[in-house]
Amino acid sequence: MPDTFALSAEDNKLVTLARSARARVGAAEGAAVRDQDGRTYAAATVALPSLAISALQLAVASAVASGATKIEAAAVVTSAAGLEEAGRAAVRDLAPSAPIHVANPTGTVHGTVTA
């Protein structure tokens, strides 16, 4: 896998939104998704004693709660080595092959998951 990827302007926006969501609350991860109408949804990891949800799961849930039926693309900003499975599965529920860009906290994209 190459060290960096060239993204479209729309996908770069997802990375920026994910970085902002993560930084705003000091969360472990930030994520953003774009739906079939071009609307974007950003979220950060929630880790409460009674509720734990990944940033990507929450971004997908926000999109679905707003009427989205398809995800065109997603981005996750994390310091983890890879993409967490629950978030990947949430995106795949709405889009079997939408790209999920994985970036580090500085916004450098290190990989894109398409399956």
Side-chain angles (χ1 to χ4, degrees):
M1 211 181 290
D3 287 338
T4 59
F5 291 81
L7 299 181
S8 70
E10 288 182 342
D11 287 358
N12 270 324
K13 177 182 173 185
L14 292 177
V15 173
T16 299
L17 290 170
R19 284 185 71 206
S20 296
R22 179 182 184 270
R24 187 171 32 257
V25 296
E29 292 185 340
V33 300
R34 184 176 60 250
D35 72 10
Q36 74 278 355
D37 296 322
R39 296 175 296 189
T40 55
Y41 307 86
T45 302
V46 174
L48 300 173
S50 63
L51 175 66
I53 187 167
S54 77
L56 191 51
Q57 286 177 301
L58 186 52
V60 170
S62 295
V64 170
S66 294
T69 58
K70 182 178 180 189
I71 298 296
E72 288 185 350
V76 177
V77 172
T78 182
S79 56
L83 180 63
E84 49 85 27
E85 180 58 29
R88 187 199 66 77
V91 172
R92 294 298 167 245
D93 285 344
L94 297 180
S97 62
I100 305 170
H101 307 294
V102 182
N104 68 18
T106 66
T108 301
V109 176
H110 290 287
T112 298
V113 177
T114 57

